[in-house]
């Protein structure tokens, strides 16, 4: 038997959290670099330049690649000849994540209960842990950091055995198209096929750590062919398949953005080997992006912009996302004065990481705007000038924004380290208790945005 101290496992998990959040997979980096080189227009070139430079900045500054430092998902393969001493392995994993997220000023994004108590647990636990007992005396740990923007685009479909490949491919293609910009493409798509509905979903996550078998490789190649132009939204496709019931053929998709954050290791007694996840010396790329700078106070200039225009925003804006908007609604319903007067103002749908020592703000970036659609009437009818987020708005939200002559701008997702450099001042002005979801007043300089509405 081999004895492994749970305190050692806790330290290893702590390290895995740092590696996953700040370092980037070299193969995916090369795939991004290829996309950069193949870019045919300035918008795409700028997008990939930002992504690549954000990866460099995160590694240099040891700060998270994205402000959504996610829900942590851990897969453990524990040898049947391993004895874990002191705490349980689950407690060790949770303690490692708690310490890593607290000590390193990562965003805590986990709430106590999905339906009955959406209070933030404030330490990013509990972790979702899946354990398999395997032959041997070692422990393999795979850790992934799962952001919600892409996760919310995930899908599962229960096909039956008579289904054609084309029907499965069509489901995958439709799901990719539907995810749009919400999932911060290009995507790393995880596909799970087999088992039951829940098992297929699990396979679609395990797929990120799985080496493709020959027939799985051929399936992915056929799928990429089928996707045609839609494949430009794909960085990589991972697939894991298994046995299933004679009457079933479940297919599950886990959407992962380009900011695919993961780390692995093998523990052997009191030593550990991390799977290749070390700082890489990626090249910094010059950004040719140029656009006019406009002050937040210059409503006339902002109003004259057309949809598709890029610009750089300078001035005072406010952050507010799901929980703050819910509170605004409660205030309006009770006829209470809002803590901030949003007339003529710009709201950035964003929840930053906490600031580390010497930082004005932690990594910050846009969250999915569609979740704020239900508050559009409330906010724009009360004078809000513009919102900034990512992804498409519903037709209803579009109509409301147009009705009040408001604007909707988008910021690029998944480049939170870079965007944090545009913030020159930050202070919490309301709902401090909401943590990352508190309302902040920011002074931004040359924040790169695009007009959508
Ligand atoms: S890159 Fe986009 S989808 Fe991915 S975690 Fe960040 S905000 Fe979410």
């Amino acid at each position: 038997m081999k004895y492994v101290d749970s305190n050692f496992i806790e330290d290893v998990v702590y390290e895995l959290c740092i590696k996953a959040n700040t370092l980037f997979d070299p193969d995916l980096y090369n795939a991004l670099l290829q996309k950069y080189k193949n870019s045919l227009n300035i918008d795409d070139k700028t997008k990939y330049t930002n992504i690549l430079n954000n990866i460099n900045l995160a590694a240099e500054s040891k700060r998270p690649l994205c402000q959504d430092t996610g829900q942590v998902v851990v897969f453990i393969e524990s040898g049947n000849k391993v004895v874990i001493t002191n705490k349980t392995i689950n407690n060790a994993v949770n303690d490692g994540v708690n310490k890593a997220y607290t000590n390193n000023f990562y965003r805590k994004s986990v709430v106590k209960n999905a339906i009955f108590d959406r209070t933030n647990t404030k330490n990013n636990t509990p972790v979702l842990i899946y354990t398999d007992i395997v032959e041997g005396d070692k422990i393999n740990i795979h850790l992934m950091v799962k952001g919600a923007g892409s996760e919310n685009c995930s899908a599962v479909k229960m096909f039956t055995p008579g289904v054609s490949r084309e029907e499965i491919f069509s489901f995958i293609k439709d799901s990719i198209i539907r995810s749009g910009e919400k999932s911060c493409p290009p995507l790393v798509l995880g596909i799970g096929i087999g088992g039951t509905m829940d098992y297929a979903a699990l396979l679609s996550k395990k797929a990120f750590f799985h080496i493709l078998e020959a027939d799985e490789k051929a399936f992915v190649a056929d799928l990429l062919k089928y996707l045609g132009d839609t494949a430009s939204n794909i960085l990589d496709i991972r697939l894991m398949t298994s046995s299933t019931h004679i009457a079933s053929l479940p297919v599950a998709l886990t959407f992962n953005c380009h900011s695919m954050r993961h780390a692995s290791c093998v523990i052997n007694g009191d030593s550990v080997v991390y799977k290749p996840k070390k700082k890489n010396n990626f090249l910094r790329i010059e950004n040719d992006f140029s656009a006019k700078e406009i002050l937040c106070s210059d409503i006339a200039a902002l109003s004259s912009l057309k949809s598709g225009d890029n610009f750089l925003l300078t001035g005072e804006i406010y952050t507010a996302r799901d929980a703050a908007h819910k509170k605004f609604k409660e205030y309006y319903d009770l006829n209470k004065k809002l803590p901030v007067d949003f007339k003529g103002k710009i709201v950035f749908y964003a929840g930053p990481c906490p600031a580390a020592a010497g930082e004005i703000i932690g990594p910050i970036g846009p969250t999915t705007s569609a979740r704020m659609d239900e508050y559009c009437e409330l906010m724009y009818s009360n004078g809000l000038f513009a919102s900034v987020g990512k992804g498409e708005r519903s037709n209803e939200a579009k109509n409301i924004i147009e009705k009040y002559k408001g604007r909707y701008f988008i910021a690029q997702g998944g480049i939170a380290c870079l965007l944090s450099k545009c913030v020159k001042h930050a202070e919490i002005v309301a709902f401090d208790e909401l943590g990352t979801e508190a309302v902040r007043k920011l002074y931004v300089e040359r924040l790169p945005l695009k007009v959508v509405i």
Side-chain angles (χ1 to χ4, degrees):
M1 297 306 274
K2 195 157 274 174
Y3 288 83
V4 180
D5 189 334
S6 58
N7 293 317
F8 182 59
I9 297 174
E10 181 183 321
D11 292 347
V12 167
V13 168
Y14 183 100
E15 196 56 36
L16 287 174
C17 289
I18 296 176
K19 287 179 184 294
N21 271 297
T22 62
L23 302 179
F24 201 73
D25 183 299
D27 292 336
L28 291 177
Y29 182 89
N30 287 333
L32 281 167
L33 195 58
Q34 206 45 52
K35 289 216 175 260
Y36 162 78
K37 288 179 181 161
N38 295 344
S39 299
L40 296 173
N41 58 58
I42 185 72
D43 272 9
D44 279 354
K45 204 122 206 143
T46 304
K47 169 176 159 171
Y48 288 111
T49 304
N50 287 338
I51 292 174
L52 294 167
N53 285 341
N54 187 66
I55 290 170
N56 276 325
L57 188 58
E60 269 164 33
S61 59
K62 298 194 172 69
R63 296 295 282 141
L65 287 147
C66 184
Q67 80 285 345
D68 186 352
T69 47
Q71 179 146 31
V72 180
V73 183
V74 169
F75 298 105
I76 300 171
E77 290 147 18
S78 187
N80 59 349
K81 296 190 186 72
V82 174
V83 177
I84 293 158
T85 58
N86 297 317
K87 298 185 268 202
T88 64
I89 194 162
N90 280 17
N91 285 345
V93 170
N94 275 290
D95 290 349
V97 170
N98 178 345
K99 279 193 193 151
Y101 275 66
T102 306
N103 293 357
N104 294 288
F105 305 95
Y106 296 167
R107 196 178 95 180
K108 287 80 177 175
S109 307
V110 178
V111 295
K112 286 184 184 160
N113 183 283
I115 183 79
F116 301 123
D117 183 2
R118 294 195 66 91
T119 315
N120 197 306
T121 62
K122 298 206 164 106
N123 57 20
N124 223 47
T125 70
V127 179
L128 302 177
I129 305 171
Y130 301 92
T131 306
D132 288 323
I133 305 297
V134 296
E135 289 280 339
D137 59 2
K138 299 187 181 66
I139 305 174
N140 287 292
I141 303 181
H142 303 291
L143 180 144
M144 71 191 294
V145 167
K146 196 66 197 67
S150 51
E151 183 67 15
N152 287 348
C153 299
S154 298
V156 63
K157 186 158 181 177
M158 302 305 288
F159 290 100
T160 47
V163 68
S164 67
R165 281 276 168 99
E166 281 64 32
E167 285 171 90
I168 296 176
F169 290 171
S170 160
F171 160 65
I172 296 171
K173 186 171 180 174
D174 289 348
S175 303
I176 295 170
I177 292 169
R178 218 180 13 252
S179 75
E181 290 297 313
K182 293 195 283 285
S183 51
C184 294
L187 303 168
V188 184
L189 187 65
I191 306 174
I193 303 181
T196 48
M197 178 274 291
D198 52 315
Y199 195 71
L202 186 59
L203 289 176
S204 73
K205 284 213 166 43
K206 282 190 167 181
F208 294 108
F209 303 100
H210 169 69
I211 296 166
L212 291 179
E213 315 260 347
D215 45 2
E216 292 170 339
K217 253 189 202 159
F219 181 97
V220 169
D222 288 348
L223 171 60
L224 280 168
K225 249 187 248 155
Y226 179 90
L227 289 177
D229 289 349
T230 308
S232 65
N233 274 339
I234 299 288
L235 196 58
D236 198 6
I237 295 180
R238 312 286 171 93
L239 169 68
M240 198 162 170
T241 56
S242 81
S243 59
T244 189
H245 189 282
I246 47 171
S248 292
L249 206 161
V251 178
L253 309 175
T254 286
F255 276 67
N256 220 320
C257 46
H258 60 77
S259 198
M260 154 78 185
R261 291 149 300 162
H262 64 101
S264 300
C265 73
V266 182
I267 296 176
N268 185 2
D270 56 4
S271 70
V272 60
V273 176
Y274 294 101
K275 293 256 177 82
K277 203 78 209 299
K278 53 184 188 316
K279 185 177 176 322
N280 292 285
N281 292 319
F282 301 133
L283 286 180
R284 193 176 166 76
I285 298 169
E286 274 317 306
N287 195 341
D288 305 330
F289 177 75
S290 70
K292 65 179 159 185
E293 182 178 358
I294 304 181
L295 297 179
C296 293
S297 52
D298 194 348
I299 298 288
L302 289 170
S303 299
S304 71
L305 295 170
K306 304 268 174 308
S307 141
D309 284 352
N310 291 301
F311 68 104
L312 300 166
L313 185 70
T314 293
E316 208 174 87
I317 62 174
Y318 292 84
T319 64
R321 47 172 291 159
D322 311 52
H325 278 82
K326 196 163 174 242
K327 282 196 170 257
F328 296 155
K329 180 158 182 344
E330 286 163 11
Y331 272 59
Y332 277 119
D333 289 348
L334 295 168
N335 263 331
K336 270 171 74 179
K337 194 169 170 274
L338 281 196
V340 175
D341 180 2
F342 287 109
K343 278 201 188 74
K345 299 286 194 307
I346 299 175
V347 162
F348 187 13
Y349 301 143
C353 287
E359 280 183 342
I360 294 165
I361 200 161
I364 182 167
T367 196
T368 305
S369 304
R371 295 198 311 275
M372 262 53 74
D373 283 354
E374 61 178 299
Y375 304 105
C376 269
E377 178 71 41
L378 185 83
M379 298 300 287
Y380 282 93
S381 68
N382 280 286
L384 180 72
F385 170 63
S387 53
V388 177
K390 71 167 162 122
E392 303 75 10
R393 312 292 315 232
S394 64
N395 284 337
E396 205 186 351
K398 266 186 216 162
N399 292 339
I400 291 167
I401 295 170
E402 280 166 3
K403 178 169 83 178
Y404 293 106
K405 299 197 176 355
R407 295 291 183 272
Y408 170 55
F409 309 135
I410 51 169
Q412 186 176 340
I415 55 162
C417 268
L418 280 184
L419 292 186
S420 70
K421 302 298 169 209
C422 299
V423 179
K424 303 301 172 190
H425 176 81
E427 65 180 292
I428 292 180
V429 290
F431 311 145
D432 197 1
E433 70 283 3
L434 295 181
T436 184
E437 298 205 66
V439 179
R440 288 172 171 78
K441 182 157 77 175
L442 309 180
Y443 188 85
V444 294
E445 261 178 32
R446 300 174 68 78
L447 181 71
L449 301 179
K450 183 193 271 290
V451 181
V452 175
I453 303 171

